[in-house]
Amino acid sequence: MFSLEEIWNQAKAIRSTIYMDNSKYEKAIIHKGIKITKDRGSYTIVKSSSPYYDEIADEEYDIFIDKGWELGRLNVLMNECEEELDSLFIKIRNCYQDNNRKSLLFYKTRKEKVLSKYSKYHKQLNQINGKVNENSIGVKGSKEPIQ
């Protein structure tokens, strides 16, 4: 279990993060599509991959608190991919019904890109789980992804 302040510190410790100090009170960290803000001691985690910063759901906050910054970030990004894939599958089905080949090709290409991103995030998740599951004598445990 982590507090939001510990999650903030985990995000700040990663070299590839972007740290923004906008004012005396408001600070933010962006790391690969997820933004955590600190405003007068209050922390908020949002998705920065869309034009609007949407706050994450309560269930996703729970994963951040249980698993930490890296696993929480990957979980949010994978959820975004799943939502986009659901939308694309509906659009592809409609293109087949309407016999719209140009849109069908566009949506299929988009689907492949989203699947590629999802696969990349899943691979990162498995790599982190491999590091997490090592015990003190260096023998690796189960490599199942953390749900």
Side-chain angles (χ1 to χ4, degrees), residues 92-109:
I92 289 171
R93 186 185 65 212
N94 291 340
C95 286
Y96 275 119
Q97 291 173 348
D98 298 340
N99 202 18
N100 187 344
R101 293 190 182 271
K102 187 174 181 180
S103 294
L104 179 65
L105 181 61
F106 171 78
Y107 291 133
K108 281 187 168 184
T109 304

Side-chain angles (χ1 to χ4, degrees), residues 110-132:
R110 182 72 193 136
K111 180 187 78 168
E112 292 302 319
K113 288 180 183 178
V114 174
L115 283 171
S116 175
K117 280 197 317 189
Y118 184 86
S119 175
K120 181 179 83 171
Y121 297 144
H122 195 271
K123 184 178 178 181
Q124 289 175 1
L125 182 69
N126 285 338
Q127 288 175 345
I128 291 171
N129 286 337
K131 293 177 187 174
V132 169

Side-chain angles (χ1 to χ4, degrees), residues 8 14 17 25 56 67 81 83 128-129 136 139:
W8 169 270
I14 297 173
T17 59
Y25 301 107
I56 63 173
K67 308 293 183 190
C81 288
E83 290 171 8
I128 291 171
N129 286 337
S136 59
V139 179

Side-chain angles (χ1 to χ4, degrees), residues 28-124:
I29 296 172
I30 298 179
H31 184 238
K32 297 183 180 178
I34 305 298
K35 177 180 177 182
I36 183 169
T37 60
K38 177 182 175 182
D39 189 12
R40 294 186 172 108
S42 175
Y43 297 93
T44 306
I45 302 173
V46 295
K47 304 172 195 175
S48 62
S49 56
S50 66
Y52 305 102
Y53 290 115
D54 298 326
E55 188 170 2
I56 63 173
D58 291 338
E59 299 84 29
E60 292 171 326
Y61 268 110
D62 293 339
I63 292 174
F64 273 97
I65 290 170
D66 287 342
K67 308 293 183 190
W69 172 257
E70 271 301 313
L71 293 176
R73 182 186 63 83
L74 288 172
N75 179 64
V76 170
L77 294 174
M78 289 174 74
N79 286 344
E80 281 185 340
C81 288
E82 290 171 1
E83 290 171 8
E84 189 172 354
L85 284 171
D86 289 342
S87 171
L88 286 170
F89 284 128
I90 291 169
K91 290 176 182 178
I92 289 171
R93 186 185 65 212
N94 291 340
C95 286
Y96 275 119
Q97 291 173 348
D98 298 340
N99 202 18
N100 187 344
R101 293 190 182 271
K102 187 174 181 180
S103 294
L104 179 65
L105 181 61
F106 171 78
Y107 291 133
K108 281 187 168 184
T109 304
R110 182 72 193 136
K111 180 187 78 168
E112 292 302 319
K113 288 180 183 178
V114 174
L115 283 171
S116 175
K117 280 197 317 189
Y118 184 86
S119 175
K120 181 179 83 171
Y121 297 144
H122 195 271
K123 184 178 178 181
Q124 289 175 1

